[in-house]
Amino acid sequence: MKLLSYYCLKLALNERRTASLKHLLRISNTFRLKHENYDKSIHISAAHHKKPNTGSRPKNDRLLKYLPKIKDKMRGQEVKVWDKITMKQLSEILGRDLDFMFSLMAHFKDVPYDSPDSQIDNPHILNEFIKKAGFNAVFIVAPDKVKKHEDIELSLKRPPPDPKSMVKRPPVVAIMGHVDHGKTTLLDSLRNSSIVDQEFGGITQHIGAFSVKVTSGETVTFLDTPGHAAFSAMRARGASVTDIVVLVVAADDGVMEQTLESIRYADEADVPIVVAINKIDKPKADIEACKKALLQHGIQLEDGGGDVQTVSISASKGENLDVLIDVILTQAEMMELKGDPKGLVEGAVVESQVDPVRGKLCTAIIQRGTLRKGSVLVGGQAWAKVRAMFNEHGNLIQSAPPSTPVEILGWKDLPNAGDEIFEVGSEKIARAVVAEREYKKAQAKMDTDEQLIKEKMMQHDRTYKEERIKRLKKGHFRPGYVQRTKENADLDTGPRLLIILKGGDVDGSVDAILDALDTYHSSLCELDVIHYGVGAVTLSDVELADACGAVVFSFNTNTLSDAKETAKKKRVQIKDFNVIYRLIDAIKEEINSRLPTTLREEILGEAEVLQEFVVTEGKKKYPVAGSKCIKGVLKKSGKFRLKRGNDVLFDGSLSSMKHLKTEVNSIKKNIECGLRLSDSDIRFQQGDTLICYEMVEADQKIDWDPGF
């Protein structure tokens, strides 16, 4: 028994429980003779198994037949594994004992995984090992790490604050309403600035957050939201982070589409409304008509016994602005707005942007805690260590208590507008949270893609079965009777416009443009955004556009000098805009330029049949329409359509056009003529109509309405 190891004994007994001693010795001798590279026999004690360094397995190794058999029903199943999984964990997942694991691992050369706690840190070996075991590997994040990250995620949002620690805070007020109703002019007058002069096209194209100190000494934080139809998502964000909504309605224009949209957002966010009827100095101002229109849409004004306060103002002349401020402060006093200035910071991203000098910035409203330099923040899938903070004037500030709008510098990546901000204890925790969020997003995308693939396959199967039934009904029973088409036969080879979109303004503006592009649905030309982002147009953008044949559209941003030079050399188009509807119009023109021309019917003239004549040429008789041109001109080279009432009897060419006895090429209005069609079987009746037309090439135009 000296040559027979415990390991060989166990393998043999697994195969034959009643094996004789002679049979076991024969197995051991076979094993020793086949492996001539062994200097000594293998000895494995019952207490500890040491894996022999056997190298690669000989092809005629008879010992393998004594390995435990893998049931056929288990083969091919997917098992979830992760990096640095231990041999013990893997054995539990596969449902095999450790002896089986070590015996299977023996077929890999020079591997150190020889104990239950050995961590398999080579993904390639792990994948091959699982294949040999009869399974398919699916790599996931280690469960202990996922649990740790989920615990961190749950701990980000703090429990409600202690009422004793709450202090009075300034109200956050959103100015909302229809485009060109005077929202930005109102803010301009409140803080004595000139915001309107800086807005391209006279419209606000992003949210602006400002703190205004009123004459009473109190502070109010204002948000100026865009009124343009393309920026509905921004208005929704503005309503969700505010305490009070000031709804601006122009007295000479009344309640409009974006006015109603703003009311809906305020209702969804459960935020009280104060109505400011603006432009009362205009000649066509009608305050009462505005109030009636608001009442019809569910705004119960104080004049009608409701609780919504109304102030009539003139933002451009500063009339009644002090009354509006008093109403806002009174509403805030009734709401008893308080905040917790202590502990970890919580807030909301209003906008994010890339500053050419300062780098990645985001504008945020602090909702809890006091933000200071050095704080570590997490927002969406981005994190930051606060390097500096700025107010709305670009001045450095040292702290930002609740209700303070602040620009935060120090982001590693840009957060998205609308993301919640949480302060965490360290950079390590911030990285862990962001990594977990990225993983969850990737998993969600994989699940969505998998569902789409399944739906596509089901649709393909249905189409295939329908086509197959049709072929069978036609008698095509033989396999391969129908000619197979190439896989790429149904690929779209029509017109296509590829776009690279860069915005240097704010993240929300890029989102608004993308939302507008999402409304495009046309089979005439495919529209794809292959890349978008916030920041200047760089060399990599130009190179990508050159490789793909794309057009670069920039919005409120500049182009780097090296990118300009490369674009000029490679003839890459870079189109700059600072007003959103002009950018959309340019995209429409670009699409139209790619559409092929189409043939359009152009009516040249019309003739009335007065009488039919029959002429003889040789032995054959031909009917001739004695006609009079009653509209336009008749051309012999054109096409003619013969109509009798609503029926079309002929559509084709002429074989003869005569005036009196002379063959002519055209007939003008009020001139009589004889017309003979190319089809001699067609007969004419008095009162028939002959329409002369020709097919001309015409440019196509896309029918796309983005909603503004």
Side-chain angles (χ1 to χ4, degrees):
M1 293 294 290
K2 186 176 181 180
L3 294 175
L4 184 63
S5 67
Y6 174 80
Y7 192 39
C8 293
L9 177 62
K10 183 164 184 177
L11 292 177
L13 289 176
N14 281 339
E15 178 67 18
R16 297 181 60 177
R17 297 181 181 276
T18 60
S20 65
L21 178 61
K22 183 179 178 181
H23 182 66
L24 298 180
L25 287 172
R26 186 169 70 250
I27 296 170
S28 177
N29 289 332
T30 302
F31 181 80
R32 178 171 57 84
L33 291 173
K34 292 296 181 181
H35 293 265
E36 296 178 355
N37 59 330
Y38 284 109
D39 295 332
K40 297 179 181 180
S41 298
I42 304 170
H43 296 278
I44 302 178
S45 65
H48 178 70
H49 306 319
K50 185 173 182 181
K51 178 188 66 60
N53 187 7
T54 60
S56 60
R57 174 178 60 83
K59 293 182 179 179
N60 59 349
D61 190 351
R62 292 165 58 186
L63 181 64
L64 289 179
K65 70 178 182 179
Y66 297 105
L67 290 175
K69 303 291 183 181
I70 299 172
K71 296 179 180 178
D72 290 339
K73 66 178 182 179
M74 297 293 290
R75 287 187 177 275
Q77 288 188 357
E78 291 186 347
V79 292
K80 296 181 179 179
V81 295
W82 52 89
D83 188 29
K84 296 184 179 179
I85 190 173
T86 64
M87 291 290 289
K88 184 178 180 181
Q89 290 172 331
L90 189 55
S91 70
E92 293 173 355
I93 292 173
L94 298 180
R96 301 286 185 266
D97 57 21
L98 285 170
D99 294 325
F100 172 83
M101 304 295 291
F102 290 125
S103 65
L104 199 58
M105 190 62 77
H107 304 305
F108 294 89
K109 189 176 180 180
D110 298 329
V111 291
Y113 315 124
D114 52 5
S115 72
D117 295 327
S118 296
Q119 293 182 340
I120 307 177
D121 54 1
N122 189 325
H124 177 69
I125 291 178
L126 178 58
N127 189 46
E128 291 298 319
F129 179 87
I130 292 172
K131 282 184 179 179
K132 286 183 179 295
F135 299 89
N136 294 325
V138 177
F139 287 85
I140 63 170
V141 177
D144 56 340
K145 293 184 179 180
V146 173
K147 185 177 179 182
K148 181 179 178 182
H149 290 181
E150 288 176 350
D151 291 342
I152 294 172
E153 190 80 20
L154 291 172
S155 65
L156 288 178
K157 199 167 184 67
R158 294 190 287 157
D162 185 357
K164 295 180 181 179
S165 64
M166 303 280 280
V167 297
K168 185 179 179 181
R169 64 172 177 83
V172 179
V173 181
I175 308 293
M176 303 179 71
H178 194 72
V179 63
D180 199 31
H181 276 201
K183 302 180 300 297
T184 311
T185 305
L186 174 59
L187 269 180
D188 188 23
S189 299
L190 289 172
R191 68 172 191 162
N192 296 320
S193 62
S194 56
I195 308 169
V196 174
D197 296 339
Q198 302 169 18
E199 299 293 352
F200 298 106
I203 59 173
T204 302
Q205 302 185 107
H206 57 81
I207 296 178
F210 316 97
S211 286
V212 177
K213 207 163 198 176
V214 297
T215 52
S216 62
E218 297 189 57
T219 302
V220 180
T221 297
F222 284 100
L223 298 180
D224 179 22
T225 62
H228 199 274
F231 300 96
S232 59
M234 292 190 184
R235 288 192 292 280
R237 290 198 299 272
S240 64
V241 298
T242 60
D243 304 309
I244 301 169
V245 168
V246 173
L247 183 65
V248 179
V249 183
D252 61 341
D253 206 5
V255 175
M256 303 296 286
E257 183 179 351
Q258 275 78 58
T259 312
L260 300 177
E261 191 181 70
S262 300
I263 294 171
R264 187 175 71 253
Y265 290 142
D267 289 340
E268 290 173 358
D270 195 20
V271 178
I273 295 175
V274 173
V275 177
I277 300 178
N278 192 24
K279 301 186 180 182
I280 60 173
D281 55 315
K282 296 291 184 180
K284 295 183 180 180
D286 192 340
I287 298 174
E288 292 303 318
C290 288
K291 290 182 178 180
K292 288 179 182 179
L294 290 167
L295 187 61
Q296 290 173 359
H297 292 93
I299 301 298
Q300 302 295 328
L301 304 177
E302 281 188 337
D303 297 350
D307 56 355
V308 177
Q309 301 182 72
T310 311
V311 182
S312 300
I313 64 170
S314 173
S316 59
K317 295 186 177 180
E319 187 177 344
N320 291 338
L321 296 188
D322 54 343
V323 179
L324 178 61
I325 292 294
D326 289 340
V327 169
I328 293 172
L329 293 175
T330 302
Q331 182 69 46
E333 197 72 33
M334 293 168 58
M335 296 172 68
E336 297 183 353
L337 299 173
K338 292 184 178 181
D340 180 12
K342 299 179 181 179
L344 298 177
V345 170
E346 295 179 9
V349 178
V350 177
E351 282 303 345
S352 57
Q353 61 180 321
V354 178
D355 189 279
V357 178
R358 295 179 293 175
K360 296 181 177 69
L361 290 167
C362 91
T363 301
I365 298 291
I366 306 302
Q367 297 171 320
R368 188 174 179 183
T370 301
L371 184 62
R372 293 182 174 85
K373 184 179 178 181
S375 300
V376 180
L377 305 177
V378 173
Q381 295 182 37
W383 69 276
K385 184 173 183 180
V386 181
R387 291 165 48 198
M389 297 180 295
F390 307 91
N391 61 14
E392 67 271 17
H393 303 294
N395 300 325
L396 279 169
I397 57 176
Q398 300 302 318
S399 63
S403 296
T404 303
V406 58
E407 277 190 331
I408 303 170
L409 177 63
W411 292 94
K412 308 304 177 185
D413 291 300
L414 277 179
N416 294 323
D419 285 344
E420 289 184 303
I421 290 178
F422 297 101
E423 184 180 359
V424 295
S426 65
E427 295 182 28
K428 184 178 180 181
I429 296 175
R431 291 192 188 97
V433 174
V434 170
E436 177 60 21
R437 289 179 175 180
E438 289 176 346
Y439 169 75
K440 287 181 178 179
K441 183 178 180 181
Q443 287 294 110
K445 186 177 185 303
M446 287 174 60
D447 294 341
T448 304
D449 292 346
E450 183 180 2
Q451 185 64 29
L452 290 174
I453 291 171
K454 288 180 179 178
E455 291 176 0
K456 207 77 172 176
M457 290 177 65
M458 291 173 63
Q459 183 180 357
H460 173 75
D461 289 343
R462 286 195 300 268
T463 306
Y464 169 76
K465 289 176 181 178
E466 291 173 359
E467 291 296 326
R468 186 171 182 273
I469 290 172
K470 290 179 182 178
R471 293 198 301 269
L472 291 174
K473 287 181 178 179
K474 292 179 180 179
H476 301 162
F477 291 96
R478 288 196 321 172
Y481 181 87
V482 180
Q483 184 180 0
R484 295 181 178 271
T485 56
K486 294 183 179 179
E487 291 183 0
N488 60 350
D490 58 347
L491 293 178
D492 184 13
T493 57
R496 190 180 187 191
L497 173 60
L498 303 180
I499 289 177
I500 294 176
L501 177 64
K502 295 300 289 287
D505 184 316
V506 287
D507 178 63
S509 296
V510 176
D511 284 345
I513 297 171
L514 293 174
D515 289 343
L517 295 179
D518 284 342
T519 63
Y520 178 84
H521 302 288
S522 176
S523 58
L524 295 178
C525 179
E526 187 177 348
L527 175 62
D528 283 334
V529 181
I530 61 174
H531 175 65
Y532 65 89
V534 177
V537 178
T538 62
L539 181 60
S540 61
D541 297 325
V542 174
E543 290 176 344
L544 177 62
D546 179 55
C548 301
V551 180
V552 181
F553 287 87
S554 68
F555 183 74
N556 279 350
T557 189
N558 59 334
T559 304
L560 300 183
S561 57
D562 56 346
K564 282 184 180 179
E565 293 176 3
T566 305
K568 190 174 182 180
K569 290 178 183 177
K570 296 186 176 183
R571 297 183 179 180
V572 174
Q573 295 185 69
I574 301 177
K575 300 189 175 185
D576 303 317
F577 299 92
N578 50 30
V579 178
I580 188 169
Y581 55 78
R582 292 176 185 165
L583 184 146
I584 298 298
D585 288 342
I587 293 176
K588 286 182 182 179
E589 292 176 4
E590 196 68 36
I591 292 174
N592 291 336
S593 67
R594 281 167 162 72
L595 297 179
T597 57
T598 184
L599 291 176
R600 179 175 57 84
E601 184 181 291
E602 183 177 338
I603 303 297
L604 300 177
E606 188 175 321
E608 181 184 0
V609 178
L610 303 177
Q611 186 180 355
E612 183 188 64
F613 298 95
V614 178
V615 297
T616 303
E617 290 186 3
K619 295 182 179 180
K620 195 170 182 181
K621 296 182 179 181
Y622 297 95
V624 175
S627 308
K628 181 180 181 181
C629 181
I630 59 175
K631 187 186 297 183
V633 63
L634 307 179
K635 289 186 177 181
K636 184 179 179 181
S637 59
K639 298 285 186 180
F640 282 80
R641 183 179 298 122
L642 176 63
K643 294 184 70 177
R644 184 171 297 160
N646 294 325
D647 298 328
V648 177
L649 305 181
F650 172 81
D651 197 336
S653 59
L654 292 182
S655 62
S656 175
M657 174 185 283
K658 290 186 177 181
H659 174 58
L660 300 178
K661 295 184 179 181
T662 306
E663 189 75 22
V664 294
N665 292 322
S666 63
I667 296 292
K668 294 181 180 180
K669 185 179 178 181
N670 296 327
I671 302 295
E672 294 184 355
C673 60
L675 303 176
R676 194 175 84 190
L677 304 179
S678 57
D679 186 354
S680 59
D681 294 331
I682 301 295
R683 304 303 297 264
F684 304 98
Q685 291 182 8
Q686 184 178 359
D688 288 349
T689 303
L690 280 163
I691 299 172
C692 179
Y693 69 94
E694 63 181 3
M695 302 302 293
V696 296
E697 287 191 350
D699 294 332
Q700 294 189 79
K701 289 189 177 181
I702 200 72
D703 184 17
W704 173 31
D705 181 14
F708 57 88

